[in-house]
Amino acid sequence: MEAPPVTMMPVTGGTINMMEYLLQGSVLDQSLESLLHRLRGLCDNMEPETFLDHEMVFLLKGQQASPFVLRARRSMDKTGMPWHLRYLGQPEIGDKNRHALVRNCVDIATSENLTDFLVEMGFRMDHEFVAKGHVFRKGIMKIVVYKIFRILMPGNTESIEPLSLSYLVELSVVAPAGQDMVSDDMRNFAEQLKPLVHLEKIDPKRLM
Amino acid sequence: MVAQSADLAQPLLKNLQLVVPMTEVPCVHQWMVLANITHIGDPPGFCQLVDFPLDLITWTLTWPKFWNLLLGFALDLREEKQLEVTLEALISQVADLKNSLVSFIYKLENEYDRLTWPSVLDSFALLSGQLNTLNKVLKHEKTPLLRNQVIIPLVLSPDRDEEIMRQTEGRVPVFSHEVVPDHLRTKPDPEVEEQEKQLITDAARISPDVAQKQIQSLNKMCSNLLEKISKEERESESGGLRQNKQTFNPTDTNALVAAVAFGKGLSNRRPPGSGGPVQSGQPGTGPIIAGASGMQQVQISGAPTPQQPMLAGVQMSQASQPGKMPSGIKTNIKSASMHPYQR
């Protein structure tokens, strides 16, 4: 686990230690419709929800080897929504008994001057992207299917191009630490999406 | 006494009229008789259906004879009642079945263009369930043997019968010699019966050994056929899979995961030291631009300012080049500082 260069004690000390359980996969553009169709059938009956978000990833380098990363996200298609600041810990693959990737996570809603604040603190933006896609829920599980767009001109979210011909599919649950049972539900759900999408625990370190 | 013979083995007619000598039946016993009829399990008041003109004396009857008669009469009534109940149940089941069939046919005829397979299956499931219920009613232990009931056409008429028209919903307009054999048929055609008999005698002629052999060969054929069908099914399934296999691409998965995890492939497009275009300013892009350009400015200005001690310190320790630096080198620092995170 990375230790934050600035004091972050309140985050892990006082509040509940929340963990995000994550499975990832992707679907090709031409199969998106069948996946959405299946998800509509499998998930809770709710209004189809789409999102268009702009995410900026900020780094703070300290004496430690790995930098401290914060993610700022804002909605581009809905006005009046708060910005979303997110801290994600180092993912743990775990053993075979746990069917999902687990990482620490802290989610905070913020005002819109978040970027200024981060920059003032000494963070600098590492990269940014636009995410556009669909959200589904089933109980506490959240399923997002979205396309990642590169931003051609920094800061200009109008000129974007898709990163690939696939949509990223993420199945996640945010739960207090130690609730590994949720990963069983996630595995079961992921089974139902096969063979359309294979949701797996993917170690990002492997892809560095 | 009775309109029919006193022999209890003979079924009694429904409209049997009991004429009992009043003198022979004391008041107490009258009540006993009635109580016993109701005791058999019929609803209260049922015995009132039976017409007892007790004050008429037309026959002499000893008390035990009368008792037996009444008991047989009550049993007969009970059977009749059961038949009635069964018929009612059968009629309601058949009506349900008919309604389901009607709605299914309606669906097939009017919604065939948007009919889905699951909904067809639902209809089938409903029909099969109703047929099962019907069978259960028929096989119920309380159901009297329906084959013992005989229906005889009393009147055949070539004229149009409005009542039958109404009861059959316009399907049978006349009750004539033409339709009766079909509608009241309880046995197969004589020809079919003959063929069946033939088959049964044929079957009886075969020796057990031969029969055993035939059974074995038939079983073998069936299992072979089943195997072929399931093999075919499996192949077509895997063929279908092969056809649809390209629903996802593991390379894309990895690329996308790497992109969200640490921006792989996202910042490559940004030319190194591209503070320029950002600083030139895009009006109306709001706080993001302000933040981004602010960050770039920090990078380029390089000189440690009191406001950013942390970042400046980091840069210096990494570059180990305190003091003045040309801006080109600073660009390198920037990419170098990004590198370890990206890798």
Side-chain angles (χ1 to χ4, degrees):
Chain A
M1 293 295 297
E2 65 213 282
V6 288
T7 169
M8 295 295 282
M9 289 315 287
V11 168
T12 48
T15 57
I16 308 166
N17 196 8
M18 295 302 269
M19 305 295 264
E20 184 188 53
Y21 293 76
L22 181 71
L23 285 175
Q24 290 170 309
S26 76
V27 65
L28 287 169
D29 290 356
Q30 57 262 35
S31 304
L32 175 72
E33 271 314 311
S34 20
L35 175 66
L36 293 182
H37 192 264
R38 192 175 291 190
L39 283 172
R40 273 195 289 270
L42 288 174
C43 292
D44 293 343
N45 195 8
M46 58 173 205
E47 287 293 300
E49 217 175 291
T50 58
F51 65 90
L52 173 61
D53 285 354
H54 176 207
E55 177 162 322
M56 284 158 281
V57 180
F58 287 86
L59 297 189
L60 182 59
K61 285 193 180 288
Q63 270 70 36
Q64 288 76 15
S66 51
F68 184 68
V69 188
L70 283 181
R71 292 159 185 276
R73 205 179 242 252
R74 69 172 178 107
S75 174
M76 289 164 63
D77 57 345
K78 296 180 190 68
T79 52
M81 302 288 277
W83 282 55
H84 177 194
L85 179 64
R86 176 159 236 225
Y87 164 78
L88 289 173
Q90 206 69 260
E92 295 167 35
I93 282 290
D95 53 13
K96 277 210 168 78
N97 295 326
R98 196 171 60 204
H99 308 290
L101 204 73
V102 180
R103 57 192 184 185
N104 240 309
C105 94
V106 180
D107 291 293
I108 307 158
T110 76
S111 58
E112 60 178 24
N113 53 0
L114 172 66
T115 45
D116 292 339
F117 174 72
L118 289 174
V119 169
E120 288 297 321
M121 275 184 74
F123 281 89
R124 67 172 181 79
M125 189 168 77
D126 181 73
H127 60 273
E128 58 182 339
F129 61 87
V130 169
K132 182 178 191 295
H134 307 259
V135 199
F136 296 89
R137 285 187 193 84
K138 183 176 174 60
I140 57 166
M141 285 190 282
K142 184 170 99 172
I143 302 97
V144 283
V145 183
Y146 62 97
K147 195 159 201 81
I148 298 172
F149 292 89
R150 237 183 232 134
I151 296 181
L152 296 174
M153 279 210 289
N156 182 2
T157 50
E158 298 298 310
S159 69
I160 52 178
E161 69 167 22
L163 183 72
S164 78
L165 297 173
S166 292
Y167 277 75
L168 182 63
V169 184
E170 290 186 328
L171 168 62
S172 65
V173 170
V174 175
Q179 302 251 314
D180 282 0
M181 290 91 72
V182 298
S183 69
D184 295 341
D185 292 343
M186 293 172 70
R187 201 242 330 239
N188 292 339
F189 188 84
E191 282 298 319
Q192 299 185 46
L193 292 182
K194 282 178 183 174
L196 211 48
V197 176
H198 280 256
L199 290 176
E200 300 162 308
K201 43 179 189 179
I202 300 174
D203 186 4
K205 285 198 285 280
R206 192 167 53 84
L207 304 172
M208 270 182 157
Chain B
M1 174 207 77
V2 239
Q4 224 200 354
S5 101
D7 185 4
L8 285 178
Q10 292 286 319
L12 295 170
L13 288 176
K14 185 183 172 187
N15 51 1
L16 168 85
Q17 216 178 35
L18 275 179
V19 187
V20 178
M22 196 60 185
T23 50
E24 295 255 336
V25 185
C27 210
V28 187
H29 287 147
Q30 271 183 37
W31 282 112
M32 242 172 75
V33 169
L34 289 179
N36 266 291
I37 294 177
T38 49
H39 182 71
I40 287 171
D42 294 317
F46 176 66
C47 59
Q48 286 165 14
L49 292 173
V50 190
D51 188 22
F52 287 100
L54 288 179
D55 49 341
L56 289 176
I57 308 166
T58 54
W59 206 280
T60 50
L61 185 75
T62 58
W63 169 242
K65 230 177 172 182
F66 169 74
W67 176 250
N68 277 345
L69 245 177
L70 258 188
L71 205 63
F73 182 60
L75 284 173
D76 203 58
L77 277 176
R78 188 178 61 166
E79 208 164 90
E80 197 162 300
K81 184 80 183 163
Q82 269 178 8
L83 181 65
E84 215 165 276
V85 169
T86 307
L87 279 182
E88 258 167 41
L90 283 180
I91 287 170
S92 94
Q93 289 301 327
V94 171
D96 284 354
L97 198 57
K98 199 192 85 183
N99 286 339
S100 311
L101 275 172
V102 165
S103 64
F104 185 43
I105 290 170
Y106 179 85
K107 234 197 249 178
L108 283 180
E109 282 176 351
N110 294 295
E111 300 171 18
Y112 57 90
D113 47 343
R114 52 181 190 283
L115 198 61
T116 60
W117 183 236
S119 115
V120 174
L121 286 183
D122 281 351
S123 299
F124 273 132
L126 185 64
L127 289 177
S128 127
Q130 284 173 338
L131 280 174
N132 265 335
T133 332
L134 190 63
N135 263 335
K136 254 184 218 157
V137 173
L138 285 174
K139 284 181 183 155
H140 197 271
E141 53 180 15
K142 283 210 171 145
T143 302
L145 283 174
L146 290 176
R147 71 171 68 200
N148 291 351
Q149 307 292 329
V150 182
I151 303 173
I152 311 158
L154 289 179
V155 184
L156 295 182
S157 152
D159 300 331
R160 222 176 135 84
D161 187 336
E162 287 304 326
E163 177 63 16
I164 249 183
M165 189 79 169
R166 189 182 59 77
Q167 285 197 347
T168 57
E169 293 176 0
R171 288 188 183 84
V172 183
V174 285
F175 198 65
S176 68
H177 63 283
E178 210 174 345
V179 297
V180 163
D182 284 335
H183 286 292
L184 298 187
R185 184 197 297 285
T186 55
K187 282 169 127 186
D189 273 346
E191 287 171 36
V192 178
E193 240 175 1
E194 194 56 43
Q195 282 183 3
E196 206 178 344
K197 215 182 269 172
Q198 185 70 37
L199 281 176
I200 289 170
T201 48
D202 278 358
R205 265 209 300 271
I206 298 174
S207 71
D209 283 356
V210 179
Q212 198 59 37
K213 262 182 202 162
Q214 285 188 354
I215 291 171
Q216 274 173 1
S217 69
L218 188 64
N219 277 344
K220 205 174 165 186
M221 263 163 66
C222 283
S223 58
N224 273 346
L225 204 60
L226 267 179
E227 205 169 290
K228 268 190 182 156
I229 291 171
S230 62
K231 195 178 160 196
E232 187 64 33
E233 222 168 40
R234 241 179 293 132
E235 266 172 13
S236 69
E237 204 168 276
S238 61
L241 276 185
R242 222 176 295 127
Q243 209 176 14
N244 302 328
K245 201 175 180 182
Q246 276 302 314
T247 56
F248 70 97
N249 179 351
T251 327
D252 276 3
T253 308
N254 289 343
L256 289 166
V257 169
V260 281
F262 35 80
K264 192 175 186 177
L266 289 174
S267 44
N268 288 358
R269 280 301 174 97
R270 212 184 314 162
S274 67
V278 180
Q279 274 176 328
S280 68
Q282 263 116 26
T285 33
I288 319 110
I289 282 300
S293 63
M295 178 202 70
Q296 297 288 358
Q297 273 170 341
V298 168
Q299 293 286 319
I300 281 160
S301 68
T305 55
Q307 285 93 341
Q308 299 119 355
M310 180 76 76
L311 183 56
V314 172
Q315 277 190 331
M316 301 255 246
S317 62
Q318 275 183 349
S320 61
Q321 271 193 352
K324 287 165 121 194
M325 286 180 281
S327 61
I329 296 175
K330 231 161 283 140
T331 319
N332 289 342
I333 293 167
K334 181 195 161 204
S335 48
S337 66
M338 256 162 65
H339 188 63
Y341 178 58
Q342 251 193 346
R343 198 178 30 184

